[in-house]
Amino acid sequence: MSIEQILVVMFYTLKPYLMLIIMALILLAAAWMIGRGRRGERSSLLLPLSLIAGIAAALAAPVLTGSQLAYVVTTTDWTALAGIGIGVALYVWLLLAPVWRSR
């Protein structure tokens, strides 16, 4: 399989989610623009909230895809769930970190 073919498959896989990805990036940019003038300490609730959001997303992912958590049995499945949880936790942290600073 050539690089072009791989890129075509990736594009068609991402195409249904492109608007959601763009909206997530716009939200992230807006949060960073709002928080750029804030220089104080971050809230102590930021990390626990991010971790809770990541765990909730990892547990909800099988249900959202029409599966069940009981079907997650292989290492690949658990790795994908861990990636979802880590990705959501990181996104929530990046989204809230600049906003939850004191002036």
Side-chain angles (χ1 to χ4, degrees), residues 7-85:
L7 291 175
V8 167
V9 169
M10 285 178 54
F11 174 72
Y12 281 113
T13 303
L14 289 176
K15 191 174 180 182
Y17 307 106
L18 198 55
M19 288 307 294
L20 291 173
I21 293 169
I22 290 171
M23 287 183 349
L25 290 174
I26 289 172
L27 271 174
L28 192 60
W32 281 94
M33 290 179 82
I34 289 170
R36 79 175 166 218
R38 299 179 183 210
R39 300 282 183 236
E41 293 288 323
R42 288 191 181 105
S43 174
S44 62
L45 293 175
L46 184 60
L47 185 61
L49 183 64
S50 299
L51 292 176
I52 289 170
I55 291 169
L59 292 176
V63 176
L64 293 174
T65 59
S67 184
Q68 294 178 2
L69 194 58
Y71 297 153
V72 180
V73 292
T74 65
T75 306
T76 306
D77 295 338
W78 284 109
T79 305
L81 276 184
I84 291 168

